[in-house]
């Protein structure tokens, strides 16, 4: 209703109400995200790719406030470029995650974004780091965003150690599909990035190609 | 004081964006569209600026110049969009002289988002930025807090939902210029007629490689009506029976001259 203040979504901050996930396998990582960006009740971008490159073999998944998350990713992208020129080789995933964690911790009162950093490097292979609220922890897999609440049970029950690349990709797609179905702030299409020693492969899975479950 | 809001619609051939402008406490919706077409962009905007529930400017211009190949539609607080686009336009011209090249749309996007993020959303400028550079046509939407999206079509502003409905129905990739202009015009019209914060005319700006067509107005959707009657009575309607004229004697009491300081 148009009133003294107008419809809420015109003044709301743009958030990526989101589902993001990253999982590690023997030779690399798989990251996945949905594509919905909302401002209040309105969807402002239904095809946003929330998997943002920090370096050739290091990606991060964005969630929370769109402006804060995009800004952190762009600053860390720049800092990693400088760092990798200084050391003369590809940066470690831990370095990228530390740069993200430093910004998240220093400005934790002002920012409201959570980035999951994942990638492959020569020293430790595939790695996934969570940087929520300024902590830095390496995990076999990490989930984040508003949609993650609905899939904690699923990922805890379904995750097994030693999954292959294809099994990981299927796991990510299933998880995203379930979260996108239940969370109002997640939806659109699913983006998936697979990073290993040889390549970084980006893939889009359109809405009708997502796996369906009992009620669909 | 309420601030003026402008809404503009820019249609890029490929990109459409709507933006609505809002004043401090009230909403001004305007919307701007950008629509990208085959080798260019079509921007569209309405022309209403509101101050609360009152229309402050019935024919304001919401499509702002950034550089010869880049234009920006602004919704939100009119002063904020005006000043922000002028600042970035100035910086971009200096940058372009420094590099010796035509500016890129991505550069303008970075400058705008970094400035808006710095002010943490207190600058109420919701922008749709579009243009054609050495890498082809591009369209970006930029929100007041500093987030941006790169899309083939976008709408912003209070009328954005109405306009997006039209776009989602009829957008096709690689449209011809005439078809794109018609689509943008229709989408903005949807906002003008279905949203209280948007109104008046439709401005278009078509940007292609080496050419910019700033069409203001493209469509006068709301022409002011012509009065069919008149309340004034013509001289002679009432007949004059008699006339008495009395002169007033006025006496000059005091005259003083104050010299003006001139240099």
């Amino acid at each position: 209703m148009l009133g003294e203040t107008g419809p809420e979504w015109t003044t709301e901050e743009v958030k990526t109400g989101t589902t993001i996930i990253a999982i590690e396998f023997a030779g690399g990582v798989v990251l996945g995200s949905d594509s919905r960006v909302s401002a209040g009740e309105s969807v402002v971008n239904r095809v946003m790719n929330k998997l943002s490159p920090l370096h050739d073999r290091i990606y991060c998944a964005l969630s929370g406030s769109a402006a804060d998350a995009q800004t952190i990713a762009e600053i860390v992208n720049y800092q990693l470029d400088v760092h990798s020129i200084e050391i003369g080789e590809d940066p470690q995933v831990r370095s990228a995650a530390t740069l993200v964690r430093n910004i998240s911790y220093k400005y934790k009162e002002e920012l409201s974004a959570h980035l999951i950093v994942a990638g492959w490097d020569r020293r430790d292979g595939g790695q996934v780091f969570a940087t929520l609220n300024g902590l830095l922890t390496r995990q076999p897999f990490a989930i984040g965003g508003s949609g993650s609440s609905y899939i904690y049970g699923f990922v805890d029950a379904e995750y097994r150690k030693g999954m292959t690349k294809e099994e990981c990709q299927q796991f990510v797609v299933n998880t995203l599909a379930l979260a996108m179905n239940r969370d109002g702030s997640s939806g659109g299409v699913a983006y998936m990035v697979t990073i290993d020693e040889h390549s970084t492969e980006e893939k889009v899975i359109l809405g009708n190609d997502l796996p369906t479950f009992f009620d669909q | 004081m309420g601030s003026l809001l402008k809404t503009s619609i820019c249609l890029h051939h490929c990109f459409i964006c709507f933006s609505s402008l809002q004043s401090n406490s009230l909403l001004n919706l305007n919307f701007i569209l950008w629509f990208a077409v085959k080798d260019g962009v079509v921007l569209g905007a309405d022309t209403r600026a509101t101050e609360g529930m009152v229309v402050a400017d019935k024919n304001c211009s919401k499509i702002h110049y950034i550089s010869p190949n880049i234009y920006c539609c602004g919704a939100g607080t009119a002063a904020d969009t005006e000043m922000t686009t002028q600042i970035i336009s100035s910086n971009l011209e200096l940058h372009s002289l420094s590099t010796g090249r035509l500016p890129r749309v991505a550069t303008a996007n970075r400058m705008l988002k970094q400035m808006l993020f710095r002010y943490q959303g207190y600058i109420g400028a919701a922008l749709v930025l579009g243009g054609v550079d050495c890498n082809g046509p591009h369209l970006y939407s930029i929100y007041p807090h500093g987030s941006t999206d790169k899309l083939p079509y976008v709408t912003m502003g209070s009328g954005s939902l109405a306009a997006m409905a039209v776009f989602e129905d009829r957008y096709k990739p690689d449209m011809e210029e005439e078809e794109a202009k018609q689509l943008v015009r229709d989408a903005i019209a949807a906002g003008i007629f279905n949203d209280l914060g948007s109104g008046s005319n439709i401005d278009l700006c078509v940007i292609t490689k080496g050419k910019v067509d700033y069409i203001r107005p493209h469509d006068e959707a709301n022409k002011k009506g012509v009065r069919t009657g008149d309340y004034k009575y013509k001289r002679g309607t009432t007949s004059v029976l008699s006339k008495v004229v009395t002169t007033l004697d006025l006496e000059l009491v005091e005259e003083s001259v104050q010299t003006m300081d001139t240099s």
Side-chain angles (χ1 to χ4, degrees), chain A residues 23 39 51 54 66 69 77 89-90 95 119 129 161 167:
Chain A
I23 177 168
L51 304 175
L54 296 179
N77 184 343
E89 58 180 21
D90 284 344
S95 313
F129 289 91
K161 272 205 296 208
E167 285 172 329

Side-chain angles (χ1 to χ4, degrees), chain A residues 123-179:
Chain A
R123 195 165 150 155
D124 281 319
Q127 297 148 77
V128 172
F129 289 91
T131 64
L132 187 64
N133 280 334
L135 65 74
L136 178 66
T137 168
R138 181 177 172 188
Q139 294 173 188
F141 68 90
I143 54 178
S146 58
S148 64
S149 325
Y150 303 93
I151 47 172
Y152 274 104
F154 176 77
V155 296
D156 284 343
E158 288 296 310
Y159 174 76
R160 285 158 294 119
K161 272 205 296 208
M163 287 200 276
T164 65
K165 179 165 88 169
E166 288 70 28
E167 285 172 329
C168 281
Q169 288 173 331
Q170 192 57 46
F171 178 77
V172 163
V173 168
N174 286 344
T175 316
L176 287 173
L178 286 167

Side-chain angles (χ1 to χ4, degrees), chain A residues 5-85:
Chain A
T5 46
E8 292 163 8
W9 48 262
T10 44
T11 49
E12 286 281 337
E13 184 182 343
V14 176
K15 283 187 154 26
T16 52
T18 295
T19 309
I20 50 175
I21 173 170
I23 177 168
E24 170 194 326
F25 62 90
V29 294
V30 179
L31 291 101
S33 81
D34 74 308
S35 67
R36 181 170 289 181
V37 179
S38 54
E41 302 302 319
S42 170
V43 174
V44 295
N45 187 351
R46 58 180 169 83
V47 286
M48 174 166 185
N49 191 343
K50 300 174 191 178
L51 304 175
S52 183
L54 296 179
H55 204 75
D56 295 338
R57 296 276 183 272
I58 307 174
Y59 269 63
C60 69
L62 315 171
S63 71
S65 154
D68 293 349
Q70 279 183 13
T71 303
I72 297 173
E74 284 166 12
I75 291 174
V76 173
N77 184 343
Y78 163 77
Q79 290 175 337
L80 263 187
D81 269 350
V82 174
H83 174 66
S84 80
I85 290 172

Side-chain angles (χ1 to χ4, degrees), chain A residues 2, chain B residues 31 158-159 162-163 166 186-198:
Chain A
L2 259 192
Chain B
F31 62 119
S158 55
V166 175
D186 288 344
I188 301 199
I192 286 175
F193 295 117
N194 295 289
D195 168 47
L196 299 180
S198 312

Side-chain angles (χ1 to χ4, degrees), chain B:
Chain B
M1 281 295 155
S3 52
L4 286 180
L5 289 175
K6 293 195 300 188
T7 48
S8 51
I9 304 177
C10 309
L11 225 83
H12 279 281
H13 287 290
C14 322
F15 298 105
I16 303 177
C17 60
F18 279 108
S19 57
S20 50
L21 295 169
Q22 291 164 358
S23 57
N24 289 339
S25 49
L26 296 162
L27 270 173
N28 284 338
L29 295 174
N30 341 22
F31 62 119
I32 51 183
L33 296 168
W34 286 79
F35 188 93
V37 290
K38 221 191 272 182
D39 343 281
V41 188
V42 180
L43 303 155
D46 74 310
T47 60
R48 174 179 288 183
T50 61
E51 198 166 342
M53 281 285 124
V54 175
V55 175
D57 189 346
K58 289 181 275 194
N59 195 212
C60 73
S61 168
K62 301 182 187 179
I63 306 181
H64 307 288
Y65 168 89
I66 299 270
S67 79
N69 58 326
I70 303 172
Y71 277 72
C72 184
C73 299
T77 307
D80 288 346
T81 60
E82 194 74 49
M83 294 314 299
T84 305
T85 50
Q86 283 177 3
I87 289 170
I88 265 63
S89 169
S90 163
N91 289 346
L92 204 59
E93 185 173 345
L94 290 171
H95 186 263
S96 160
L97 286 166
S98 167
T99 59
R101 293 172 165 84
L102 201 63
R104 299 193 192 187
V105 188
T107 314
N109 178 54
R110 265 304 160 102
M111 289 175 162
L112 284 162
K113 79 169 351 185
Q114 284 178 352
M115 178 182 170
L116 291 173
F117 184 81
R118 212 177 335 134
Y119 287 92
Q120 286 290 289
Y122 285 98
I123 292 186
L127 307 165
V128 172
L129 178 74
V132 180
D133 61 25
C134 57
N135 289 334
H138 303 281
L139 186 63
Y140 291 90
S141 66
I142 305 166
Y143 292 86
H145 285 265
S147 60
T148 64
D149 291 310
K150 186 176 195 303
L151 291 164
Y153 57 93
V154 52
T155 71
M156 286 257 235
S158 55
S160 62
L161 259 45
M164 186 52 97
V166 175
F167 274 151
E168 290 283 31
D169 186 33
R170 285 161 47 187
Y171 170 80
K172 292 187 308 290
D174 290 334
M175 292 172 80
E176 290 300 329
E177 184 176 322
E178 280 313 310
E179 212 184 334
K181 282 160 73 173
Q182 184 61 34
L183 179 55
V184 172
R185 186 246 152 236
D186 288 344
I188 301 199
I192 286 175
F193 295 117
N194 295 289
D195 168 47
L196 299 180
S198 312
S200 298
N201 310 326
I202 299 169
D203 289 349
L204 280 194
C205 182
V206 182
I207 309 175
T208 46
K209 200 172 178 66
K211 183 171 82 100
V212 171
D213 240 338
Y214 194 104
I215 311 164
R216 177 176 154 79
H218 170 69
D219 194 345
E220 294 204 85
N222 291 286
K223 275 211 194 49
K224 190 166 180 172
V226 175
R227 281 177 205 267
T228 51
D230 192 6
Y231 284 110
K232 277 213 187 71
Y233 289 100
K234 287 199 294 291
R235 260 186 199 282
T237 308
T238 309
S239 49
V240 177
L241 296 178
S242 64
K243 197 152 100 170
V244 172
V245 177
T246 314
T247 52
L248 291 171
D249 288 327
L250 295 173
E251 193 187 306
L252 182 61
V253 175
E254 187 193 316
E255 184 183 346
S256 68
V257 176
Q258 177 91 36
T259 49
M260 183 172 70
D261 278 341
T262 53
S263 55

